Structures are given as C-alpha cells and as structure tokens.
Amino acid sequence: MPYLGSEEVVKELRRALSNPNVQADRLRYKNYITKVIRYMTQGLDVSALFMDMVKASATVDIVQKKLVYLYMCTYASDKPDLALLAINTLRKDCADPNPMVRGLALRNMCNFRMPGMTEYIEQPIVAGLRDKASYVRRVAVLGCAKMHSLQPNTEIDGTIVNELYALLRDPDPVVVVNCLRALEEILKDEGGVVINKPIAHHLLNRMKDLDSWAQSEVLTFLLRYRPRSDDELFDILSLLDAFLLSSHAHVAVATLRLFLHLASAHPTVQADALLRTSAPLLATCGAASRELRFAGLCHVQQVMRSQPGLFGTHYKRFFCGYSEPSYIKFRKMEILVELVNDENVALVLEELRSYCTDVSPELAQAAIAAIGRIARTYSEKCLDILTGLLGLKQDHITSAVIQTFRDLVWFCPQSTAAVCQTVGACVDSPQDSEGKQALLWLLGEHGDQISSAPYVMEGYIDGLKTELSSAVKMELLTAAVKMFLCRPAETQDMLGRLLHYCIEEESDVCVRDRALLYYRLLQRGVEETRKVVTGPKSDPSMSVLTGRQEEPISEWDSTFNTLGPLAGCDLCPQTAATSAADQPSYDAEEEISLSLGPPLSHETFEKMWLDLETLHRQTLGFPRPRAAPDTLQAALQLVKIQTLAFTPGDTVPWKAYIYTRSTETLILAELLQGDQQAPGSDESLVVSVKQQPVNHMLLNLFFFFFALYDISLLTSTCMLQ
Amino acid sequence: AWSMSASAVFVLDLKGKVLICRNYKGDVDMSEIDHFFTLLVQQEEEGLLCPVMSHGNVHFLWIKHSNLYLVATTNKNSNASLVYAFLYKLVEVFTEYFKELEEESIQDNFVVVYELLDELMDFGFPQTTDSKILQEYITQQGNKLEVAKTKVPTTVTNAVSWRSEGIRYKKNEVFIDVIESINVLVNANGSVMSSDIVGSIKLKTMLSGMPELRLGLNDRMLFALTGRDKGKAVTMEDVKFHQCVRLSRFESDRTISFIPPDGESELMSYRINTHVKPLIWIESVIEKFSHSRVEIMVKAKGQFKKQSVANNVEIRVPVPSDADSPKFKTSTGHAKYVPEKNLVVWSIKSFPGGKEFLMRAHFGLPSVENHEMEGRPPITVKFEIPYFTVSGIQVRYMKIIEKSGYQALPWVRYITQSGGERRFA
C-alpha cells in the first residue's frame, strides 16, 4: 500500500497521465499506466482514472493496450457510462489488420460485464466467427457464451447457435472445443449441447488433434452420447482405447469414466478397462504433485469398491512417504486396510505400527483405527501391537487404542477375553472424553471379565464434580447400571452416590433425565432392569464373516473424476439431476435425426415455400459442387436430404431446392450461388431454410450436416462408387 | 455441470493476501476468496487439511508453491484432476518465465503474469498453455507493436504446435541427457521395503529448420518398453512420451521418431518397479543417554562398480531438537550441524564404488529433557553418479535429417541420482 492516502495517489496519477510531457514520452507514460494497474491489483480503487485510461488505449504498444483493457474490464461494471466511451476504440481494434489486436480487443470487449453490452458486441462477434485467423475465431466463439451470460434470460439466438454448430468442423482444434463449451453454456436450459451421432463421431475422429484439456472435456461431453448398436459401441471403444493410457492423468481418468459409462451393459469390457487403467492409476498415486496424487488415490478407492482385488499386489505403493501431507496418508491407510491378505499382513502391520507414533495426533489415531479394522480379521497380531502402544503412555495414543478396543469387541466378540485382560492391566486412563466413553463402555459391558472394573469406575464417580462432558456422564450412568447387574456387591454403594449426584446436583437436563430413568427402572426390580439394559443385541460379527460386498460399477461411476469423492461427500446434488436431465436428450436425439420420408410433389413444395417465412439464411463458405445432377442427388440422399429441382448446367445464378424431414417437422431449403443481390455469394453457396413447424434443434442438426459433409466431398465419394 | 470451467484464479501470499486475481467467468463473487484463507487456517489447526475446500456453493481447489497459494474457484462439480493439472501448468509456465515462482517474482512481473493469465485461459477454459508458444508473443521486455512484427505466431495454429518454423543455429547440435533417479526405502531392520527407478531422457535441441529425429535405444530397453519382454526381470511402467513422438510409429516398428521442440524438453520418461539394492548402503547406531548426550555412528558403503564414482554425496542424519555442542569425526568428507533443521549433513565430494566411510557425531543433551514427542525422520542420502545407469538403458544412435541437409552432432550423457530415503525406528 502506498504511504499516501488513496485520494492523493489517484490525484497524483491523474496529474501525471494528463501531463502532455508525460504523454509525449512513451516509456514514462507506460510506467504510469503500469503503476495504475499495480495499485488496482493491491485493491486500491483507481476507477476515478477511467477517462485518462481510455485515452491511453489508443496506442500501438500492445502491452500498454493489454493493461488498459484489463483496467477497463475491472471497472466497466462500476462505470458503465464511461465504459461506453471505450467501446469505439475497442471496435476499431476489432477491425485491425493484426489478428493479435483483433483477438485481444474482442476478448476484452466481451469481458465487460455490464448491461446493454450486447448491442455493441454482437456484430464484432459475428464477424469474429468468420475471421480468417483462428486466434480470433477462438475468442469469438467463447464471446458468444459471454454474450449469452450477460442476458441469460433472453431468447436463444438461433443464428449464433447454428454458426457454432457449423464451426464444430473448424480446422483449429481449440475452436472446435470452444464451440462445445460455448454451446453448453448457451443451451444449458435446454440440456446443453446436443451430441448426436455425426457430432460424436466427428469429435472422436478429432480427438488426437486436441490438447489434453480439450480431450478431457470432449470425453466428458461424449458421456451424453449413446451408441445405437454394439458394433458402433465397440468401434468407439477401440478409438478411445489409446486414451486410457494417456500420459495426462486427467485424460486417462476421463476416458475410463466414459468407457465405464458406455460399456455399462458389458461387465467384461468394464473389468478389462479397469485392469488396463490400473497401471496409470497407480502411477498417478505416485505423481510428483501431491494434489494429483490425492486425486489418484480417491480414484483408486472408487475403483476398489467394485474390484477390491485389483491393486492387491501393489500394496507397497500405498505405504506413506515421510513428508507426505496428512490428507494423502489418511487415504493411503484406508486403502491399505482394504488390501490386507495373509501374505502381506505382517508387512502392512509393521508399516502401520510405524505411523502410530507420528507427530500428528490425528494421523497416529487414524493409524491405530486402521490396525483396529485389520484386527477384525487378524485379531491376535493386531492386539499385540495395540497393547504394545499402550506402553508408550501417550494420552492420544492410549485414547485411540481404547476406542479401537471398544469397536473391536463389538465387531469381534471372540476377541473380548484378550481385550479385557489388557484393559484390566492398563493403568493409564484416557484424558479426552471419547477415550473415557470408550473405556466406560468396556467396563460396563464386560465388567465381569475385568477384575479391576469397579475400582476404575469408582475413580470416575469420585471425580464427577470436575467432569465437564455430559456424554461421559451419560456413559458413566449406563456403565454403572450394567456393572451393578453383574457385580452388585461392589457397585451398589457407588451407583447410589452417582444417581444421587446426577438427580440432585447435575445441571444438564439430559443427564438428569437419564439418571431418573435408571432410578425408576431399578425401582421396578433387578430382573426388569436386566431385561431392558442387557437385552439381546444384533450380531455385527456376521458382517465380518460375509466380507465386503463388491458393489456394481454403476454405484460410483457417475461421480468418478468429480470433486465429490475428493471432498469426501457428494458435493453437488445436481449431478443426479444432470444425469436425469441428460436422459431425455438420448430420446430427443432419436427424434431429431433426419429421414427421407415420402416424396413431396412440386405443387406442395411451391405452396409451402411461398407460405413460410425464411427462418435462417447462411453463407456456407464453399462453392456449389460441379457434379452431374444425379450424383449430387445421390450424395444428398446419403445424408437423408431429398432434392426437388436444380438449375441445369452452369447457368448463373445456380439454384437448387431440397427438403428433408424428421418425425413432425419438414425442412425446406434453397441453395443459391451467384446472386448479384447477395454480396459475397458469387463464390460460395447461400442456403435459406424454412421449416414447418419451427424446431431449432432440428435446424442445428441440418446445418451441422451441411457443414460437416461439404457437399463437394460427398459428391466425389458418390462418383467413386 | 459438465465442463471444467474455473470461475476465477487467484495467487495469494502466505498470509492470504491476494497478489493476483483474474475473474474469468464472473459467476462467483470475487470476495469469496476471503473465506479461502479462513478455511485453510481452520483445517490446518484441525490437522484435516484437504486440497478441495468448500464454502457454500463455492469450491476452492488449491496448490501451494514456494511462498504462494494458487487457488481456482468454481461453483461446478468440475473434473478435479484437470483443475489441479491446470494449476500446475500455471506453475510450470510462470517458472519458465521467471526462473523461480515466488512472491517476489510475481510482484516484479505482474504485467507479464496478467498477460499470461489472459492467454492461458478464457471464460474459465484453458486456451494456449504451451510455454514455448507463449514465449513467442509474450516477453518480459514487453514487445512494442509494429504491425509486421507482432503477429500471431504460426505455432498457435501450426500442425506442429510445439515448434515454429524458421529456427536458425550456426552450429547444429543436440544434447541428450539420460537421467535415472532411484528411490529406495529401507526399514529399521535393513530390509528394502520398496524400490523403483524413475528415468527420463531430456533433450537440448539446437537445430535449424524442421529436423526429423530418430532415437535408437538398446534392444533390451526397447523390449522392456514395449512389454514384449514378459519373461525377463525388467519391465517399464508408466512410459510417457513427449507429444512430438509419433506413437503409431513406435507401436508398429518400435522406432522413436519425432520433430523435436526447440531448446530444452523431456522426450520421454519411465518408471521401473524392480528390486534395486541401495547404491550407497547406510548403517547407523544412535545411542541416547538421557540428560547427558547422544552418540551417532554412521557407516556408508558404495555398492556400485569400482570404476564409477558418486559425486556430491550428502548424508542427512536427523538429531534430537534439543541437542547441542556438536563434535564430529569423519574418515572422509566433512560433517556440519544444521540446527534449524535438526540435522547433521555429512558431505563427501567424491565417493568411489566399493569404498566404505565412517562418521561419528557426539551431541550434548540438556539436563531438563524435552518431553514433546518427536517424529523419527529417516536418514536420507543424495548423490549423483555420472556415466552410469541402473537400468542399463543406452542410446545407440540419434539420426538427424533436415531437408537442407546440414550435419548435426548428437551428444549423450548418463547420470544416476538418488531420490531415496532410508529410515530407522
């Protein structure tokens, strides 16, 4: 922050920026502009300099231009009236001969987040979509999405949507994927960009040209496509195969997700894909970046829900490095617990034992809990380790061990005797309330097997006045009542004192009520109390015997590679909603495929053509095919478009009338070349479309066909046949 | 909810102050970043730090690099690994520009940082992220606009996106570095818990025009690479090629052919998960006499062939944090106490294969003992062995063909490094 107050600074800067001497010295002038941006970055409000900065945008220095643009974008929404003054400069730059300048100006103009921008940016964007430099087209395509986000509730501009669908065949890969991104944004209320068969196949064929970001996103978009037949499915899978082993982790997992989704009806294919990706997944778990390593571990955990054995032989990969952050160690321990078997149990336990003395208490406790989980299968070995840990006499370790004992006894009743022996010999009592509760539960539940139990409990009852935790008091009440039932002589006196204290002196209502409940219960007699307090329980040991169930892949593949599993919860409930909203798009896509249908008579066509409004007119950017009329006709039939009539030979202007349908809708179109009234059409075809009834989705599809299969190409294939 | 789309990207200092921010999408309030640091501190205190944090609908995905936090905010259920990969890409690009990415270099170069952020991402989507290409039109000197000069580099749209046309060198050379780093983990009982080799072939290309290169490796390595060597011991895992390598060609006839990027690049990397014995074997005895002293004895033995020499060997031995008045005795090299890291660093300039050296250290302990639990960090060993690889990988030839027909020289170097740790209980 500057020493001067912000007002002084702004005044100072304004004086400098408007000083003709400074303006004349380009370097000095630029230094002042840099200063403005620096203050802006530091959070100082320099919006008062807007006018001076607008003036500074008229420069040939491209870095200065960028700085001024950055400034304008930051303050445009605060100063909409002043921002309008900048627009002329920007629009002029949008027509600059240098594509770099055109792109920059267009990008920044679209970043002005203020109402009323649409009318100024629409024309430059549309021009940008047709720019010969791909740099500008990239910017223009995303500009369409920005324009839509300025006025999200206005009607979708069909022309722009059509242009974007057509640009999916752009030679520049970034333009292609930007189109998908933009369409997704613009059409989000209608379920996003439509991925039908031609689009899906087109994208699959372009995959290898895309950079890794684009690949990852295209793979996610393709989740929306459902192949029509198994043949098509397997063609797609074999195209995707190489990407399963992509060197970019995010591409490999995105491919795996798509694989699992597409092959949902072919469990063997899914299993094979999981097997093949296990190596790259393991590699990510050892990635240099710890966040990617973390993401990799989360992916492994999800995969293990269905294929618990997949990583069994690689258990050493999940040993923790000394300097790894806790969030990685936690996940690794969770995985290790799942991978334990007869052969590796000794090594895994030795490893986990070494984490129990970690400097981080949370980590140490997690390691102890992990050993407790393994103890459900390998009780003896684990009990030795856990008992040994009590000897360290560290509060947090003792507490965690006792909590682990409690859970172990609950899940594995056969280990009760051993645990009780240890607890009986253990002198240290835990200091935290979770540990105390666990110990009290053990004393109450198995007091008959722990000879010192009443004396330990007496210590707690004597220290009641200093006990702060209500949960501990509640547990103490329950434990004391249970102990009274099995060792009445030793317990009766202290139970009386406990109930008296809790009913007469305790301030917490819950504790008081619980004490009263036990008091009244005891008044009903010992046998009644025994029936209620030590009644039959469920037998959780069953679940240990039956083992973990392998879950179907469909349980988790919809959240695979999203934020949810990393944050440890289902972050976005809308995931479910999205996939539901996604469902109809398969059906919709079935509907909007084109079909030939019964032929139209010339009269019907003519009548409809005259009655209907032209819905859309577009220059296609390629000339009419120089092919014999019947070849052209055959070519169009390939893409399910019927031909009604042509101008013969090389007559200018050349015209053709074509039509196609899709269930309810009929599309009529006129192709025209060489019309003097339509400028620019002397080279390329102009297509005008009418529809009955209007269906924008279908129109998009129609244009996509036209754009994708350049008619000249089609005709040449037909001639070969 | 399908796309990646980061809403905004922030660079923060260690106190949580925003140094740089770029609002790409405008759908998340920029002041949300204030919650980031509060959450971070809170989670750190609870010992439950996580690379994804959420406040309401806003998710923060963050990484830490030197004294900076790089944070992406999003309100979508994004593809997480992609966002992290992008943040690391930012680190990579900034590092190539500023050598060191840290608070100071961000402050000094904030204009270039903004320029880069503008090209790297638009509306929350990654755009041009290749630093070689970015360097063609964004420079630290700041380029003056002269219409003919500053045009979009052809590489932005080139078929060969990683190399521009018209590169010229007086002397055409290419340097090939084969670097293997071995990681060995030894437990207290002296048994090897895990070991692997991470290898990489790095190029420094100083060649004119659009040269076609072909790299020949020894057969044993090629078999290991393609996994056709099922019976033998070595198989490579996780083989990654630079995007310039024609993978289809490699798969069909095992030829590594490519048009190289100019300057430095990593052509390929691999990992071999195999049993390797530690190249420098460490044995240690640490005796702690409470309230009086600690005595440490470390023995190091070079378990590699006699003709080779390990250079710049550093053996780092942890000592209790309350130790004082160090005394050392070494049979070679010298030992130094680094109290701020609770370490003794024993450095040996050159360590021939087969030799054995000793170091003894003596520390005093205070009479009032430190009761805090201390972690038991491992002894770590660092070294470099030139002209040697553990895997036996060898470059057989490098063919360089350019249409102008110039003669070019390939140079090859081999280095083995350690990345290993050894621990004791």
Side-chain angles (χ1 to χ4, degrees), chain B residues 213-215 217 241 245 250 254-258 267-268:
Chain B
L213 269 56
R214 241 167 71 193
L215 176 75
L217 296 178
F241 286 107
V245 175
F250 178 74
R254 288 187 275 145
T255 312
I256 302 174
S257 74
F258 55 97
L267 184 67
M268 65 174 282

Side-chain angles (χ1 to χ4, degrees), chain A residues 60 98 134 224 291 317, chain B residues 2 88 115 145 150 157 237:
Chain A
V60 288
N98 183 335
S134 57
R224 215 170 277 183
E291 291 78 12
R317 293 284 188 91
Chain B
W2 288 94
Y88 275 96
E115 284 188 76
L145 179 71
T150 3
T157 53
E237 291 179 5

Side-chain angles (χ1 to χ4, degrees), chain A residues 356 358 360-362 364-365 368 394-401, chain B residues 373:
Chain A
C356 293
D358 196 279
S360 150
E362 290 82 11
Q365 292 183 329
I368 292 165
Q394 293 288 331
D395 289 341
H396 68 280
I397 293 179
T398 306
S399 168
V401 170
Chain B
M373 283 266 293

Side-chain angles (χ1 to χ4, degrees), chain A residues 26-27 30 34 37-38 40-42 59-63 65-67 70 97-101 104 107-108 111 113 134-135 138-139 142 145-146 149 172 174 178 181 184-185 211-213 216-217 220-221 223-224 247 249-250 253-254 257 282-283 286-287 289-292 294-295 299 314 316-317 319-323 326-327 330 347 350-351 354-355 357-359 362 394 396-397 561-564 566-567 570-572 574-575 578 582, chain B residues 1-5 17-27 45-52 54 59 61-64 74-82 84-89 107-111 114-115 118-119 121-123 125-129 137-139 141-147 150-153 156-157 185 187-189 191-194 196 237-241 271 273 371 373-378 421 423:
Chain A
R26 266 167 53 176
L27 208 61
K30 189 173 156 187
T34 314
I37 304 296
R38 187 183 288 272
M40 184 180 92
T41 311
Q42 290 169 351
T59 171
V60 288
D61 183 327
I62 203 154
V63 175
K65 246 184 212 303
K66 286 181 188 174
L67 290 176
L70 177 69
N98 183 335
M100 193 95 213
V101 176
L104 265 178
R107 181 163 60 217
N108 283 285
N111 285 345
R113 292 186 193 99
S134 57
Y135 184 76
R138 292 174 180 184
V139 171
L142 288 182
K146 293 178 192 173
S149 72
D172 181 72
V174 181
N178 278 358
R181 292 156 168 167
E184 179 70 7
E185 220 32 63
D211 63 22
S212 74
W213 320 112
S216 213
E217 280 184 74
T220 315
F221 279 117
L223 285 169
R224 215 170 277 183
S247 59
H250 57 96
V253 285
R257 184 176 174 196
L282 272 173
S289 129
R290 30 189 226 171
E291 291 78 12
L292 286 175
F294 176 68
H299 291 143
H314 302 285
K316 281 189 180 177
R317 293 284 188 91
F319 284 1
C320 302
Y322 181 74
S323 54
S326 300
Y327 55 80
F330 284 132
L347 267 173
E350 190 184 338
E351 185 70 17
S354 70
Y355 307 155
T357 48
D358 196 279
V359 277
E362 290 82 11
Q394 293 288 331
H396 68 280
I397 293 179
N561 197 26
T562 62
L563 286 183
L566 275 76
D570 194 5
L571 271 183
C572 291
Q574 76 256 34
T575 6
T578 337
D582 180 36
Chain B
W2 288 94
S3 309
M4 166 211 170
S5 81
K17 196 181 91 184
V18 177
L19 301 175
I20 295 281
C21 61
R22 188 75 174 82
N23 187 358
Y24 285 113
K25 239 180 153 182
D27 59 352
E45 277 169 5
E46 291 166 358
L48 298 168
L49 208 56
C50 179
V52 192
S54 306
H59 311 301
L61 287 91
W62 62 279
I63 64 172
K64 194 178 163 208
T74 176
N75 55 8
K76 303 243 161 81
N77 196 1
S78 303
N79 171 340
S81 21
L82 195 138
Y84 292 127
F86 181 76
L87 291 175
Y88 275 96
K89 192 74 199 181
Q107 300 272 23
D108 292 349
N109 297 285
F110 77 99
V111 172
Y114 274 124
E115 284 188 76
D118 211 31
E119 297 295 329
M121 189 173 252
D122 192 10
F123 206 48
F125 301 110
Q127 300 289 305
T128 306
T129 56
Y137 62 110
I138 295 175
T139 58
Q141 288 75 38
N143 50 15
K144 295 278 185 308
L145 179 71
E146 278 148 44
V147 176
T150 3
K151 51 180 192 239
V152 185
V156 176
T157 53
L185 207 70
N187 74 1
N189 312 330
S191 51
V192 174
M193 298 294 282
S194 74
D196 65 4
E237 291 179 5
D238 193 19
V239 180
K240 289 177 186 166
F241 286 107
R271 178 211 289 272
N273 199 17
H371 281 289
M373 283 266 293
E374 283 188 4
R376 287 171 173 166
E421 53 177 69
R423 31 184 200 175

